[in-house]
Amino acid sequence: MKHITLAHGAGGAVMQGLIKDKMLKYLDHRSDIQIPLSALDDSAVIDDIAFTIDSHTIKPLFFPGGDIGSLSVSGTINDISVMGARPIALSSAFVIEEGFLLKDLEKILGSMQKTSVQADVPIITGDTKVVEHGAIDKMVITTSAIGKRTELLEENIREVKKYRELNERWIRDSNLKEGDKIIVSGTIGDHGISLLSFRGGYGFESEVKSDVAPLNRMIGEAMKVGGIVSMKDPTRGGLSNTLNELSEKSDVGILIKEEKIKVKEAVRSACEMLGMDALEIGNEGKAVIGVVFEKAEEVLDALRKTKEGKDAEIIGVATNKIKGVAMETIVGGKRIVEAPMGDPVPRIC
Ligand code: MG
């Protein structure tokens, strides 16, 4: 393949290939980084500081439940939070197409401010560039964040070690072990379906709102209970992609139960009509959490007491009895859950 295709940015197997074969080849050349680029975790860690960045090139800019502003702040906060770090500051860089409406820019900035206040993470540095009409599609916002180690993370790790071994100081994709329970913090597929329905042309009107939200407070409540080993936000490629990444990096199978995975009725029917799998659709306000067996129910209760985690559920378990990810279906069968080639809905984040 000579050219970049949309699949190279869609969060699935094709994008993983590009990152591993090209990006890491040139950019990952130091061996002294605590959690390096090659870990392909939600954030890197250097000198005990979590660090992450995200570009947002969403279509449309405004959608039910949010806009590119709330998305760019939430997504970056979430990538820091799932490492067990406390996000302390954000940066934001704007590339804006000539002709962009000032009132739309103000609306987006208002959303960024609101989300930043809600999450209590300030935006403290940034950059603004304008390009000729046609050079980009309206706007790209890039946000970066840093996060600190806290006593909460230390306490969470100590709690894990009461029950099993853990040779790691951070919450990482590679920490899962046989017996750990897998929690999803709520319904899946809301973000991707909300965008798709709003773009129109699909012949259905959906009332689904995006789940976009900063999750640092919810995750903080879960970490107060402790016992969390792995966490990821199931964005591009959805739950399928996230579970496959956890399984591969931790070298353990994951068995989930279809009946435990919550999908809103409107999302379910949209997926049926479009021939899509809700498990592969991106989310922007959910976390997948691996917890030691003994603490899973307690973490679940703590999540359910939060606004973002009220529909949390234990959906499965890490097990050495299988390789990869498999799902017990409602009708009693078992099927393999593969990592999708890419998110079926392009440009969702
Ligand atoms: Mg992430």
Side-chain angles (χ1 to χ4, degrees):
M1 213 180 293
K2 280 188 177 167
H3 303 278
I4 291 289
T5 65
L6 279 175
H8 284 116
V14 178
M15 189 172 102
Q16 288 283 326
L18 177 76
I19 290 171
K20 284 179 182 160
D21 298 343
K22 305 291 181 214
M23 306 298 185
L24 295 184
K25 180 175 153 191
Y26 292 97
L27 305 181
D28 185 57
H29 51 80
R30 284 257 305 253
S31 56
D32 58 341
I33 316 281
Q34 276 173 286
I35 301 182
L37 186 59
S38 57
L40 303 179
D41 213 316
D42 299 274
S43 297
V45 176
I46 184 164
D47 289 345
D48 255 1
I49 294 166
F51 183 31
T52 195
I53 187 161
D54 263 296
S55 276
H56 301 87
T57 171
I58 191 162
K59 191 172 153 180
L61 296 175
F62 301 93
F63 50 86
D67 59 38
I68 189 173
S70 54
L71 182 78
S72 64
V73 173
S74 301
T76 305
I77 286 173
N78 295 346
D79 276 338
I80 292 284
S81 306
V82 294
M83 304 301 291
R86 183 167 72 82
I88 56 167
L90 286 155
S91 70
S92 66
F94 299 81
V95 182
I96 309 169
E97 185 189 21
E98 179 186 16
F100 197 90
L101 283 175
L102 264 175
K103 76 166 176 41
D104 283 350
L105 177 63
E106 276 200 59
K107 207 171 152 192
I108 289 163
L109 291 169
S111 295
M112 292 178 80
Q113 180 192 48
K114 194 175 155 201
T115 312
S116 156
V117 168
Q118 183 193 345
D120 195 23
V121 184
I123 300 167
I124 59 167
T125 185
D127 182 47
T128 306
K129 300 275 159 56
V130 178
V131 295
E132 303 88 337
H133 179 74
I136 57 163
D137 185 8
K138 297 187 179 74
M139 167 183 274
V140 176
I141 301 180
T142 302
T143 44
S144 183
I146 50 171
K148 266 177 144 165
R149 267 195 95 71
T150 61
E151 184 47 37
L152 195 58
L153 177 56
E154 308 289 357
E155 189 54 47
N156 174 76
I157 302 274
R158 278 197 287 274
E159 196 63 30
V160 173
K161 288 178 174 171
K162 284 185 192 166
Y163 303 100
R164 72 156 169 86
E165 244 179 61
L166 182 69
N167 295 316
E168 179 53 58
R169 301 177 64 239
W170 293 85
I171 294 175
R172 294 186 67 165
D173 295 351
S174 51
N175 288 346
L176 272 187
K177 273 199 170 71
E178 165 136 67
D180 293 340
K181 294 280 188 183
I182 310 293
I183 297 175
V184 172
S185 66
T187 56
I188 59 161
D190 301 5
H191 180 69
I193 291 299
S194 134
L195 253 85
L196 197 59
S197 62
F198 201 59
R199 276 180 205 162
Y202 283 94
F204 70 93
E205 288 288 323
S206 153
E207 295 134 39
V208 181
K209 270 192 183 169
S210 165
D211 58 347
V212 59
L215 297 176
N216 52 330
R217 289 175 192 274
M218 178 193 83
I219 287 171
E221 291 303 313
M223 282 177 60
K224 278 182 197 165
V225 175
I228 295 169
V229 291
S230 294
M231 257 191 293
K232 281 194 95 54
D233 50 341
T235 55
R236 282 174 296 177
L239 186 60
S240 293
N241 200 54
T242 297
L243 293 174
N244 273 281
E245 273 195 54
L246 290 170
S247 165
E248 193 188 320
K249 292 178 188 174
S250 295
D251 195 23
V252 67
I254 295 176
L255 183 61
I256 58 172
K257 283 195 161 91
E258 187 175 20
E259 61 177 12
K260 295 290 182 187
I261 299 169
K262 291 182 180 163
V263 183
K264 284 188 180 130
E265 200 40 53
V267 171
R268 194 183 298 278
S269 51
C271 283
E272 265 169 33
M273 199 169 71
L274 298 163
M276 289 177 179
D277 183 350
L279 265 60
E280 298 183 359
I281 292 178
N283 311 276
E284 287 292 343
K286 297 289 147 44
V288 176
I289 306 172
V291 191
V292 292
F293 167 82
E294 293 84 350
K295 299 295 283 187
E297 290 290 341
E298 249 182 283
V299 168
L300 184 67
D301 286 345
L303 285 167
R304 284 178 173 171
K305 284 185 187 129
T306 67
K307 184 171 154 247
E308 293 81 12
K310 64 177 177 11
D311 294 321
E313 192 62 81
I314 297 172
I315 64 151
V317 65
T319 171
N320 289 324
K321 291 196 184 86
I322 56 164
K323 288 261 175 238
V325 182
M327 179 164 77
E328 286 175 12
T329 62
I330 288 167
V331 292
K334 206 184 265 185
R335 79 160 169 99
I336 291 176
V337 178
E338 280 185 67
M341 293 307 283
D343 194 291
V345 193
R347 291 190 57 189
I348 58 160
C349 60

